[in-house]
Amino acid sequence: MLNTNNKALSYLPRLCICLLFAFHGMAQSPTENLSKLGIVLPKPTSPIANYVKYVQSGNLVFLSGHGPSKADGTYIIGKLGTDLTVAQGAEAAKLTGINLLATLQSAVGDLNKVKRIVKVLGFVNGNNDFADQPKVMNGFSDLMVAVFGEKGKHARSAIGTNSLPNNMAVEIEMVVELF
Amino acid sequence: MLNTNNKALSYLPRLCICLLFAFHGMAQSPTENLSKLGIVLPKPTSPIANYVKYVQSGNLVFLSGHGPSKADGTYIIGKLGTDLTVAQGAEAAKLTGINLLATLQSAVGDLNKVKRIVKVLGFVNGNNDFADQPKVMNGFSDLMVAVFGEKGKHARSAIGTNSLPNNMAVEIEMVVELF
Amino acid sequence: MLNTNNKALSYLPRLCICLLFAFHGMAQSPTENLSKLGIVLPKPTSPIANYVKYVQSGNLVFLSGHGPSKADGTYIIGKLGTDLTVAQGAEAAKLTGINLLATLQSAVGDLNKVKRIVKVLGFVNGNNDFADQPKVMNGFSDLMVAVFGEKGKHARSAIGTNSLPNNMAVEIEMVVELF
């Protein structure tokens, strides 16, 4: 009886090696990936109003709109198409992503608990003619995939706006599913 | 014992007929309704960035912001109040709805699995004086109810914006509950 | 055997008094808090389109975008930075919150069923230079905490926009978790 499976079994070691290669990129933990990217998550700041930076409901975490705040408390400010290039906007979106991850880590303790970045809504401060919101938001999306691999691939809307709090360049909120 | 229910039972056939009439409009499947409306769902396109068109979490499907892209890959572009009439905007919202349904069908396989269109967020590209976002969004909402009946009635926000990706006329995202 | 717990038990009355003090602020029901604030919830209006004011999915209620409509059916209109002061905008956000609570109460019957105001997305109608969207939205957020206490503290995004339906000053949607 066992012999009937011998041929299939002989492929097993090769299959294992293939899977090892395939999953190599995913085997890193989000924290290891952040470290590899040279990113140190900042200490999350507290909102000075009657709202909070995140609320968990069931296994979903809803994160408040975050902006590109820097370590010194200032923001990357200005409007795309007028004050900032697409590359500068993408950098602001990446920084906003780092700030969101800092909040997320403080919320869940360990980024390994993240099952999926589910849904992202990003607003890009720009003039009426600016139409490259997706390229700006890619600065955020590329970071999430670099940190979480497939789990970082999210549904996304990229929207333009004529103004944001403190005239910051972008504001991004997201919904995250936990294991 | 059985006799005590005789009177109630005698109403049963009439009740059944009433229910048949009442549910007649809902008896059509979403796919049949699409066909009756003469709508052929397009092949969903893939986003060329590190995000995806939808993510399912539990029995909720979160769909990315979609736009009024046509079969040839071009978009209905322009700003309401400047370049497009309300009717043209509503047509763009309907086309965006068709594209969302194409993605939804590719996500769930069969639109009969839809329990409810839960929440819709629509952005209308317009000048500062444009104030008829709801009429534009009705092009989308009417489609959902024509396709899904009561299940298509959703919570909705209709928002104006000064710019959208590729200068497209509208961008709409939605949350859908599955059975 | 029972004596071994005597010392711990002796602290019980003091603990109870402490807890009574600690929870005093939360002991009020949302309805009592509304009454104390002198707020009478209006009769919710019906949207005149193919959408609804809320949809419940599981224990989450998704509420449509609401605006600062007054008892006579008119809205607080105008753009922040041009037509309205921050204080007037905050008043509009508070009125929008009252209208959302009216819809929420009609949805769930009793505001005591609210476990948490989870996520709020607010749009502030303003000119390109307006950057105080958070101060405007505080009119809404302060109301929620006054009514629900800790349960009213929500994740939030405050976004600027160049136009809203009927040129109303703000539009706010929210997600609420029920017990």
Side-chain angles (χ1 to χ4, degrees), chain A residues 9-96:
Chain A
L9 280 172
S10 72
Y11 285 100
L12 204 56
R14 269 172 277 180
L15 182 66
C16 287
I17 288 163
C18 285
L19 286 173
L20 266 176
F21 271 95
F23 285 95
H24 179 71
M26 298 168 61
Q28 306 273 350
S29 79
T31 305
E32 286 169 336
N33 288 333
L34 279 169
S35 165
K36 230 169 44 179
L37 294 164
I39 294 172
V40 179
L41 294 185
K43 203 164 165 258
T45 55
S46 298
I48 42 171
N50 264 329
Y51 73 99
V52 290
K53 290 212 144 182
Y54 68 89
V55 170
Q56 184 172 347
S57 170
N59 63 342
L60 294 180
V61 182
F62 295 80
L63 288 99
S64 291
H66 282 58
S69 59
K70 295 181 278 191
D72 61 6
T74 63
Y75 286 87
I76 298 178
I77 63 167
K79 295 188 195 309
L80 274 291
T82 305
D83 310 314
L84 298 171
T85 65
V86 167
Q88 288 172 315
E91 201 53 43
K94 181 184 175 182
L95 179 54
T96 303

Side-chain angles (χ1 to χ4, degrees), chain A residues 51-52 63-66 100 121 123 164-165 168 171-174, chain C residues 119-124 133-134 137 141 154-160 171-173:
Chain A
Y51 73 99
V52 290
L63 288 99
S64 291
H66 282 58
L100 278 160
L121 177 57
F123 296 91
L164 283 175
M168 60 189 184
E171 180 169 344
I172 306 175
E173 60 167 52
M174 66 179 185
Chain C
K119 172 67 181 54
V120 172
L121 177 57
F123 295 91
V124 177
Q133 289 84 4
M137 281 298 295
S141 296
H154 44 271
R156 182 183 98 176
S157 299
I159 309 294
E171 180 168 345
I172 306 175
E173 61 168 51

